[in-house]
Amino acid sequence: MAENMITTRSLGVAVEGVKDQYADGKAAKVWEVFIGDKNSRTENYKNFLVGLLREKRCKRILDVACGTGIDSIMLLEEGFEVVSVDASDKMLKYALKARWNRRKEPAFDKWIIEEANWLTLFDDIEDLVGDGFDAVICLGNSFAHLLDSYGDQREQSKALRNFEKCVKPGGFLLIDHRNYDSIIDTGETASKCIYYNPKHTTDIRTSVLYVSGKPALVTLDYLIDLSSENEKSDIIYPDESISEFRLSYYPHRLKVFRQMLEKAFGENSSYRIYGDFKTLDQIESPNFYIHVTEKSSTIF
Ligand SMILES: C[S@@+](CC[C@H](N)C(=O)[O-])C[C@H]1O[C@@H](n2cnc3c(N)ncnc32)[C@H](O)[C@@H]1O
């Protein structure tokens, strides 16, 4: 077995350690550098997301993992009405700041930002759901932050059911995850990113934790070169030029994830999967999978 694979009988301490992974504010701060200029989402990403939402005539979008606000801001700028939620106040701080700075623009003045957790999402924002959103998005490999504390993915199922309740009949869920099948097989994570324009990522070190013989946790150590940022006088980063932050993820297998979606949205909904924004017959081993689920318009 490769050196970066660890085996254990239980998730143990790791579960406690990853509950609010952005709480110390370090990852949130470096995340802003990692994702680069908010105006420079990769063209492929923007064309895919905005194109799909327009094609489906979506207007009202719920971003359930808004983080520092990068997707939400892009969608506001493209004329969508956006409600944004996230569980981390350290990440939300940046979205709130962007809203404040651009409050004179009507779209930003109307932008709703709330703190909410996927496990209680529907109850947290029921008053905002109304007849449901045209689309719910959960992007940037966010969903994999939810770990499998009980070994039966009950929390992931609960979160997906909450997402389903927020989507109107005939509406969409767009949710993604890294290609964990490949990460598990190779023990490596591609540092090339299809979403952002990361000028500073030098490496992503990968560890896979096995619990009772099954891959249960992937830990990614992001190495970010901040030397050029430190030259700017108004931004204070640690003295070292290489900053490191660690995030942990549940390694979703493509097939199992697809089945979980079907359990939450039912067999009358429709399911499509893209790999790095291409259909699966166009790409062999993508870095990211994006699931597009169209909720059945018939209520049974
Ligand atoms: C990797 S960041 C991505 C943010 C943004 N979508 C992007 O692409 O930059 C993941 C976000 O998911 C949020 N998150 C993780 N678990 C959550 C949960 N249970 N409920 C709500 N948000 C959660 C984190 O706080 C974090 O801001």
Side-chain angles (χ1 to χ4, degrees):
M1 194 169 278
E3 268 179 17
N4 54 349
M5 297 201 179
I6 305 146
T7 55
T8 179
R9 280 179 200 279
S10 96
L11 275 180
V13 176
V15 171
E16 286 308 309
V18 292
K19 279 269 151 91
D20 183 0
Q21 300 189 46
Y22 297 84
D24 64 0
K26 186 183 171 193
K29 197 171 187 179
V30 186
W31 188 260
E32 285 281 281
V33 180
F34 172 57
I35 61 181
D37 182 356
K38 283 205 186 66
N39 297 319
S40 71
R41 272 295 205 186
T42 66
E43 277 305 302
N44 282 348
Y45 177 76
K46 190 171 169 177
N47 292 344
F48 174 84
L49 180 60
V50 173
L52 200 117
L53 294 173
R54 289 225 172 99
E55 180 196 319
K56 304 296 180 192
R57 299 183 192 289
C58 298
K59 289 196 177 93
R60 222 173 139 246
I61 317 295
L62 172 65
D63 182 356
V64 294
C66 75
T68 57
I70 184 162
D71 288 326
S72 299
I73 291 170
M74 179 173 85
L75 296 178
L76 286 166
E77 287 171 343
E78 292 293 323
F80 295 94
E81 198 184 309
V82 184
V83 172
S84 306
V85 304
D86 198 283
S88 168
D89 55 350
K90 288 290 192 304
M91 293 294 266
L92 284 176
K93 192 177 91 176
Y94 292 89
L96 291 164
K97 194 171 160 202
R99 181 177 67 180
W100 173 255
N101 289 341
R102 296 180 68 174
R103 66 193 180 282
K104 295 213 168 101
E105 297 172 49
F108 281 79
D109 185 42
K110 280 193 249 149
W111 182 16
I112 297 172
I113 303 173
E114 297 274 344
E115 193 176 321
N117 192 302
W118 305 326
L119 296 178
T120 51
L121 179 70
F122 184 73
D123 292 339
D124 291 347
I125 60 158
E126 195 172 354
D127 54 326
L128 298 169
V129 175
D131 296 333
F133 288 86
D134 297 324
V136 170
I137 63 169
C138 183
L139 298 169
N141 193 33
S142 300
F143 192 72
H145 277 319
L146 199 56
L147 302 182
D148 189 16
S149 316
Y150 300 94
D152 56 7
Q153 299 212 62
R154 75 179 75 164
E155 290 187 323
Q156 278 104 337
S157 297
K158 190 173 184 182
L160 290 178
R161 278 202 305 277
N162 271 327
F163 295 172
E164 187 270 339
K165 284 180 174 177
C166 294
V167 178
K168 75 172 193 191
F172 296 85
L173 170 69
L174 276 71
I175 187 164
D176 70 353
H177 54 84
R178 279 189 186 269
N179 183 348
Y180 289 106
D181 289 297
S182 159
I183 292 175
I184 291 163
D185 290 347
T186 63
E188 286 176 7
T189 305
S191 59
K192 178 178 166 287
C193 190
I194 57 161
Y195 287 91
Y196 317 113
N197 288 310
K199 294 187 192 92
H200 307 283
T201 316
T202 54
D203 197 9
I204 301 179
R205 284 197 203 128
T206 307
S207 317
V208 183
L209 175 77
Y210 280 72
V211 176
S212 306
K214 282 195 336 205
L217 189 81
V218 164
T219 302
L220 301 184
D221 287 303
Y222 296 77
L223 299 181
I224 312 286
D225 183 356
L226 294 172
S227 47
S228 60
E229 293 299 317
N230 281 337
E231 284 160 17
K232 298 178 196 166
S233 57
D234 56 335
I235 301 178
I236 305 149
Y237 290 102
D239 291 339
E240 322 88 64
S241 58
I242 299 288
S243 181
E244 190 171 335
F245 66 95
R246 168 175 288 188
L247 293 172
S248 299
Y249 304 91
Y250 180 79
H252 290 288
R253 294 277 195 187
L254 182 65
K255 228 169 127 184
V256 179
F257 195 81
R258 164 73 177 72
Q259 286 163 355
M260 265 199 320
L261 278 173
E262 188 160 340
K263 229 172 107 194
F265 280 77
E267 57 182 29
N268 292 307
S269 295
S270 72
Y271 303 87
R272 263 174 304 143
I273 304 171
Y274 295 87
D276 293 356
F277 315 128
K278 299 189 174 99
T279 53
L280 292 189
D281 55 357
Q282 293 175 315
I283 186 156
E284 206 173 308
S285 186
N287 292 335
F288 282 81
Y289 287 114
I290 302 143
H291 299 255
V292 178
T293 298
E294 181 173 359
K295 181 173 169 176
S296 166
S297 49
T298 319
I299 302 160
F300 295 92

